[in-house]
Amino acid sequence: MSVSVRIPTILRTYTGGASEVVGEGATLREVFAKLDADYPGIGARILDESGKVRRFVNVYVGEEDVRFSEGLDTPTPDGVQISVIPAVAGG
């Protein structure tokens, strides 16, 4: 399944500056695996050592925050947009 993945500015060095790339996979886990195969190193910036989404990274499949759904097992239907958004803190 072909999806689009929005890449935050901080990770665009891995994608040659592209703000959006094409991904493939039936689940978010598969999309991230393919993304890391196509853009080596980007997966380690999104997922931690245990394979979970890093604490300060938010991921949306469509409008749905995956932390409140099926996590990395969230289905990624053909044509959906996935957004990787670094959390911002401040005071």
Side-chain angles (χ1 to χ4, degrees):
M1 309 229 174
S2 181
V3 300
S4 64
V5 183
R6 296 184 66 207
I7 305 296
T9 304
I10 196 164
L11 297 180
R12 291 181 190 166
T13 55
Y14 294 95
T15 62
S19 62
E20 191 167 308
V21 297
V22 174
E24 293 179 14
T27 66
L28 187 58
R29 183 182 319 277
E30 291 175 9
V31 170
F32 283 159
K34 175 75 168 125
L35 189 67
D36 194 51
D38 292 345
Y39 306 98
I42 197 169
R45 306 298 290 165
I46 299 170
L47 305 176
D48 65 16
E49 300 76 27
S50 66
K52 296 180 182 175
V53 175
R54 289 189 175 278
R55 184 174 175 195
F56 296 107
V57 174
N58 298 308
V59 179
Y60 291 82
V61 173
E63 299 293 319
E64 187 174 11
D65 185 339
V66 301
R67 290 189 196 277
F68 302 108
S69 63
E70 298 177 59
L72 292 173
D73 295 322
T74 300
T76 52
D78 196 39
V80 76
Q81 184 172 66
I82 297 169
S83 300
V84 177
I85 304 169
V88 177

